[in-house]
Amino acid sequence: MKKFMDRDFLLSTETAQELYHSFAEKAPILDYHCHINPEEIAKDRKFDNITQVWLGGDHYKWRQMRSNGVDEYYITGGAPDREKFQKWAETLEKAIGNPLYHWSHLELQRYFGYEGYLNAETAEEVWNLCNAKLQEDGMSVRNLIRQSGVTLLCTTDDPADTLEWHKVIAEDESFEVQVLPAWRPDKAMNVEKPDYAAYISKLGEAAEMEIKTYADLKAALVKRMAFFDSMGCKVSDHALEYVMYAPASEEEVEAIFAKGISGEGVTKEEELKFKTAFMIFVGKEYNRLGWAMQLHYGCKRDNNVLRYQQLGPDTGYDCINNYAPSAQMADFLNALNETDELPKTIIYSLNPNDNASIGTILGCFQDKGVAGKIQQGSAWWFNDHKTGMTEQMTSLANLGLLSNFVGMLTDSRSFLSYTRHEYFRRILCELLGGWVENGEYPADMKTLGRIVKNISYNNAVNYFGFDLELI
């Protein structure tokens, strides 16, 4: 029997162990997509207790606590932090096979030096240990980032954002880690939303212009993209319920926009036409700027309407959408490619059934001498566990070039989530090591080591064009 989460956790072969410990373990982290709050970095926040770090906004954990029958009072309600932590500990001990069990214990090991396991009985011990540790200067937000080996991270930012905290961080020479904005224009695209007109007014203020037409909207977005670009932005991100391709004339799109800002409401067909035009427009702009475009889709959001009305979005009530838009995705990419304006693109589906279709789409649009110009993104959200990561990388290897993969991202709001990179790297090395041990690839450690380092770090540096040294 192997020891619980020891040095060779998830590494079952000698080759996997050598790959991880020699090439992946010490590689720095480039977190090109997360939901970290830049204000907390700018102010170098320190947390009062482990509940603030672990349960404040983590809907992954909230879902499991609800599955364990925990009352909402102890999840998002007003219960004391110690009681919330106790309920999480009582839940975690039941989470056998769930990645949260591994993530939580990796965080306890790496940041708090705790080698035991958390359950209802050990909760008091862990609570006291973590809270004492959190009072140390080395556990401030900036120092957590430093000790995690992060060289650069990209936050998620609306086009109307002032990026004031990014400015503060960039001007502070005492903090060496780059914190860059990433462009997330979902609100500018969601013409069907009841608050669309209010958002467009806010965007106009940020762009210092009045937005009355779709042409105005495009001009405002170009101005804001220029500002983001001046702040070091190199990547966009889109949350799409599904991928659409419904071409329309400029006149049609103008009319749909007018309906959206008037509050009249748009039909589903009109929504799809507007979003198609919007995505093609911004895609061309990304290509002009040299930005990468990330497309996250396959999620049906806010399914529990009662709880959504009480708690709002991103509170743990989303699920996988069983829609597989392979034809629409190909048509959308082709619409950009026809005019030679297809940017570097990373495609993520929340539905693992889409792995193969994404893998075949990639090969249709690789071009321009860019290694892996069109990427399949890392196993995302409901899939960032051992099975999901293994299946995603295996499918990518079967249908494309795994060696050009840009690797892992945290997609998290927590400053302790960087252990997810360790988790990913262990699974990567286990997968490659298994192929070598089975005689499917030679035991060429020089080449294998280069592949591991590239997927862990170098590929992302090169792909996004960040000003970082390779390893």
Side-chain angles (χ1 to χ4, degrees):
M1 181 190 301
K2 290 190 67 175
K3 184 181 176 183
F4 172 64
M5 292 185 65
D6 64 0
R7 182 175 184 270
D8 292 327
F9 171 56
L10 297 178
L11 306 171
S12 65
T13 66
E14 291 184 5
T15 303
Q17 292 161 10
E18 183 176 354
L19 288 175
Y20 178 75
H21 294 301
S22 297
F23 304 106
E25 185 173 16
K26 300 301 182 183
I29 289 173
L30 196 170
D31 193 15
Y32 55 86
H33 175 65
C34 72
H35 297 275
I36 290 296
N37 184 347
E39 180 179 356
E40 294 184 335
I41 301 175
K43 294 181 176 179
D44 200 18
R45 178 183 177 184
K46 290 183 71 174
F47 298 95
D48 296 327
N49 61 61
I50 185 63
T51 296
Q52 292 181 2
V53 181
W54 264 8
L55 297 174
D58 192 339
H59 52 81
Y60 283 66
K61 293 185 177 76
W62 294 351
R63 285 172 68 98
Q64 301 312 319
M65 293 170 76
R66 291 173 187 136
S67 295
N68 198 36
V70 176
D71 188 273
E72 198 68 27
Y73 172 71
Y74 298 99
I75 303 173
T76 60
D81 284 349
R82 175 64 183 87
E83 294 180 20
K84 288 183 175 182
F85 182 76
Q86 184 68 35
K87 295 297 184 182
W88 169 240
E90 293 169 3
T91 299
L92 187 63
E93 67 183 58
K94 297 183 178 181
I96 186 170
N98 190 293
L100 283 167
Y101 197 87
H102 294 152
W103 296 348
S104 297
H105 285 93
L106 281 174
E107 291 172 20
L108 288 173
Q109 289 181 4
R110 301 295 174 262
Y111 297 106
F112 300 98
Y114 183 72
E115 298 294 332
Y117 45 92
L118 175 60
N119 59 26
E121 295 179 358
T122 62
E124 180 69 15
E125 172 192 6
V126 176
W127 169 263
N128 291 329
L129 170 69
C130 291
N131 292 349
K133 186 76 174 177
L134 285 169
Q135 304 315 306
E136 298 176 5
D137 290 340
M139 296 296 282
S140 70
V141 159
R142 292 189 181 190
N143 285 323
L144 287 171
I145 293 172
R146 286 187 177 108
Q147 68 173 290
S148 301
V150 179
T151 60
L152 184 151
L153 64 89
C154 296
T155 58
T156 304
D157 308 279
D158 186 90
D161 198 304
T162 64
L163 304 185
E164 60 181 304
W165 299 112
H166 291 84
K167 293 178 185 177
V168 171
I169 297 167
E171 293 169 358
D172 186 347
E173 296 182 357
S174 69
F175 189 55
E176 65 282 6
V177 180
Q178 296 184 54
V179 180
L180 303 180
W183 171 268
R184 179 73 170 255
D186 297 348
K187 292 180 180 178
M189 182 180 71
N190 291 337
V191 69
E192 80 284 5
K193 299 292 186 182
D195 58 352
Y196 188 65
Y199 174 76
I200 292 301
S201 177
K202 179 181 178 182
L203 178 62
E205 291 177 6
E208 299 181 333
M209 61 178 287
E210 193 171 3
I211 302 175
K212 293 184 176 180
T213 66
Y214 179 59
D216 292 339
L217 173 62
K218 291 192 290 185
L221 290 171
V222 168
K223 288 184 68 174
R224 297 305 293 169
M225 285 185 207
F227 171 60
F228 270 61
D229 193 62
S230 73
M231 293 295 294
C233 179
K234 292 183 180 294
V235 60
S236 71
D237 182 57
H238 296 266
L240 306 172
E241 186 172 327
Y242 43 78
V243 177
M244 73 299 289
Y245 185 68
S249 68
E250 193 75 12
E251 292 75 17
E252 285 182 279
V253 178
E254 281 285 4
I256 296 166
F257 178 77
K259 289 179 68 175
I261 61 172
S262 71
E264 181 180 345
V266 301
T267 67
K268 193 66 178 179
E269 181 182 3
E270 288 171 335
E271 176 192 339
L272 296 182
K273 286 182 176 180
F274 182 83
K275 290 182 175 180
T276 298
F278 184 98
M279 290 301 302
I280 291 174
F281 164 70
V282 295
K284 291 179 178 181
E285 291 301 313
Y286 302 154
N287 181 69
R288 178 180 63 83
L289 292 166
W291 291 4
M293 175 171 65
Q294 294 182 99
L295 304 175
H296 287 87
Y297 65 92
C299 179
K300 186 175 185 301
R301 298 176 185 272
D302 307 320
N303 296 286
N304 187 328
V305 176
L306 176 64
R307 285 301 193 190
Y308 171 73
Q309 292 171 343
Q310 295 171 341
L311 302 173
D314 303 320
T315 50
Y317 296 103
D318 305 327
C319 71
I320 291 173
N321 188 332
N322 199 35
Y323 177 72
S326 55
Q328 290 88 339
M329 175 64 77
D331 289 344
F332 167 64
L333 296 179
N334 185 59
L336 291 166
N337 195 62
E338 280 184 318
T339 55
D340 196 25
E341 294 175 282
L342 175 62
K344 292 176 287 189
T345 302
I346 308 177
I347 304 171
Y348 308 78
S349 175
L350 197 55
N351 192 334
N353 293 330
D354 293 345
N355 282 340
S357 64
I358 292 173
T360 59
I361 289 169
L362 305 182
C364 299
F365 299 100
Q366 305 291 18
D367 200 1
K368 295 293 186 183
V370 178
K373 176 182 176 180
I374 314 300
Q375 291 266 340
Q376 180 180 12
S378 180
W380 170 50
W381 197 346
F382 294 126
N383 302 309
D384 53 3
H385 44 70
K386 184 172 69 172
T387 301
M389 290 180 186
T390 301
E391 289 181 350
Q392 183 267 340
M393 286 189 283
T394 300
S395 179
L396 179 57
N398 286 338
L399 298 169
L401 288 177
L402 176 63
S403 297
N404 289 337
F405 179 33
V406 292
M408 186 58 175
L409 66 168
T410 62
D411 191 29
S412 173
R413 294 165 175 79
S414 170
F415 292 97
L416 300 185
S417 291
Y418 296 112
T419 52
R420 295 183 191 179
H421 285 261
E422 175 183 343
Y423 188 62
F424 165 83
R425 292 172 184 181
R426 288 176 179 272
I427 293 167
L428 167 67
C429 293
E430 172 71 2
L431 181 65
L432 300 184
W435 288 336
V436 172
E437 296 272 347
N438 200 40
E440 298 177 53
Y441 193 89
D444 176 359
M445 297 309 293
K446 182 178 180 181
T447 300
L448 287 164
R450 185 163 57 246
I451 290 172
V452 169
K453 289 195 294 184
N454 286 346
I455 294 174
S456 297
Y457 186 74
N458 291 335
N459 286 346
V461 174
N462 289 327
Y463 185 80
F464 294 106
F466 293 128
D467 183 19
L468 297 168
E469 292 185 7
L470 301 178
I471 58 172

